[in-house]
Amino acid sequence: MTLVDDARFRQVLGRYPTGVSVITSREPDGTPVSMVVGTFTAVSLQPPLVGFLPDHGSTSWPRIRATGRFAVSVLAADQQDVCRMIVAKHPGRFDLLEWADSPSGCPLLVGAAAWVDCVIESVQAAGDHDVVLGRVLDLDAGPTSSGPLVFLGGAYAEATPTL
Ligand SMILES: Cc1cc2nc3c(=O)[nH]c(=O)nc-3n(C[C@H](O)[C@H](O)[C@H](O)COP(=O)(O)O)c2cc1C
């Protein structure tokens, strides 16, 4: 068996570009919870499923999991500051950020490239992460005209569609 070094794993797989999304929910007392992920992905059309992979070390994920639902805001290229504020756990971030409730009552970040509202369908442990599948309740594209925010090789970038 080959032993794969953590740094090499990160460096090599950092060559694979991802989008940047914010997973949110609201606790029963109304407190918003949020975490930034690069692992959000479409999974299935019939039934409509999406997924993401939270680290077992995340403090937000157990709180989101307990609500049984989540929303995804796919960040636009001009939302790098939003991303940094959430990753840095900026105190009072939900007072500073512009957001509105999804149909199921999860915070959606205004200006996102797209949003998806979900109920948690399944959670499967995979090494030091969970594989979370969400059943899509509703979704829409945002009004933004800029491209999506991209993360590649540890840096932020903008994807420019060639259509
Ligand atoms: C671009 C980017 C992508 C990330 N992707 C993930 C991810 O897919 N899963 C994850 O658990 N954390 C990911 N993180 C790290 C989390 O955002 C960070 O650990 C987060 O704040 C969760 O910690 P908390 O839940 O304790 O607040 C990512 C961070 C960045 C900047």
Side-chain angles (χ1 to χ4, degrees), residues 58-140:
S58 161
T59 56
S60 312
W61 164 232
R63 294 168 63 199
I64 294 169
R65 183 177 187 172
T67 70
R69 66 202 157 103
F70 66 89
V72 185
S73 296
V74 177
L75 294 184
D78 61 3
Q79 290 185 305
Q80 249 190 70
D81 53 341
V82 172
C83 178
R84 290 182 199 281
M85 199 183 280
I86 293 171
V87 170
K89 304 183 190 188
H90 189 291
R93 54 198 176 280
F94 277 92
D95 297 327
L96 297 165
L97 294 170
E98 251 194 291
W99 57 278
D101 273 329
S102 70
S104 82
C106 298
L108 296 175
L109 296 163
V110 172
W115 61 265
V116 188
D117 206 12
C118 300
V119 64
I120 295 174
E121 172 98 356
S122 67
V123 179
Q124 168 89 49
D128 54 13
H129 281 61
D130 281 342
V131 179
V132 181
L133 295 184
R135 168 82 66 135
V136 177
L137 303 174
D138 203 351
L139 77 173
D140 205 354

Side-chain angles (χ1 to χ4, degrees), residues 18-20 34-40 52-62 83 86-89 93 129 151 156:
T18 71
V20 183
S34 60
M35 66 183 291
V36 168
V37 301
T39 51
F40 171 66
F52 70 98
L53 288 80
D55 191 315
H56 287 166
S58 161
T59 56
S60 312
W61 164 232
C83 178
I86 293 171
V87 170
K89 304 183 190 188
R93 54 198 176 280
H129 281 61
F151 197 66
Y156 295 101

Side-chain angles (χ1 to χ4, degrees), residues 3-68:
L3 288 177
V4 178
D5 176 66
D6 287 9
R8 185 162 174 76
F9 185 95
R10 282 207 174 93
Q11 185 224 336
V12 172
L13 292 170
R15 298 289 294 273
Y16 180 68
T18 71
V20 183
S21 302
V22 180
I23 307 293
T24 56
S25 193
R26 281 232 256 172
E27 296 186 297
D29 68 357
T31 307
V33 198
S34 60
M35 66 183 291
V36 168
V37 301
T39 51
F40 171 66
T41 187
V43 174
S44 160
L45 212 50
Q46 291 297 339
L49 299 173
V50 294
F52 70 98
L53 288 80
D55 191 315
H56 287 166
S58 161
T59 56
S60 312
W61 164 232
R63 294 168 63 199
I64 294 169
R65 183 177 187 172
T67 70

